[in-house]
Amino acid sequence: MTSTTAGKCWQCGTELSLSEYGRETVCLKCGKPTRVCRNCRWYDPSRTNQCQEPLAEKVQDKTRANYCDFFEPTANLQTGTGSADGDLRRAAEELFK
């Protein structure tokens, strides 16, 4: 039986299959929970509530397992390291060089 990659771990980047996204499932490499906002295709650090899905309930800790009904695994991980204001400022500075 071949397992196809559904996404990647938000912490270490290990490829994960669809069966590795259970509520209490952790990444076998780093031990972090896999069904978390940071692993979801709707996660967007630049949005209010850091989620593109407007009907999703607010989740305080984006790195803890949750029961969100809108969860969909993703391989395109958002780092969330920069702030939206900082990104806008850098873009404006690039324009006026």
Side-chain angles (χ1 to χ4, degrees), residues 5-92:
T5 301
K8 294 182 179 180
C9 174
W10 63 273
Q11 178 66 33
C12 67
T14 298
E15 292 184 351
L16 302 169
S17 67
L18 195 54
S19 64
E20 294 177 289
Y21 286 99
R23 169 64 173 87
E24 296 185 14
T25 306
V26 296
C27 174
L28 296 176
K29 184 174 180 184
C30 68
K32 297 292 184 181
T34 56
R35 189 181 176 96
V36 299
C37 293
R38 296 281 304 268
N39 266 353
C40 182
R41 78 175 280 245
W42 300 112
Y43 176 71
D44 184 351
S46 66
R47 294 273 182 111
T48 302
N49 194 23
Q50 297 178 329
C51 186
Q52 292 180 14
E53 175 52 59
L55 300 176
E57 291 183 32
K58 185 173 184 173
V59 175
Q60 293 294 336
D61 188 346
K62 307 298 184 194
T63 61
R64 291 188 65 188
N66 61 64
Y67 291 105
C68 182
D69 291 332
F70 299 103
F71 178 83
E72 292 181 34
T74 185
N76 300 326
L77 300 175
Q78 300 278 333
T79 60
T81 55
S83 69
D85 291 339
D87 293 342
L88 290 174
R89 180 178 300 278
R90 281 189 291 281

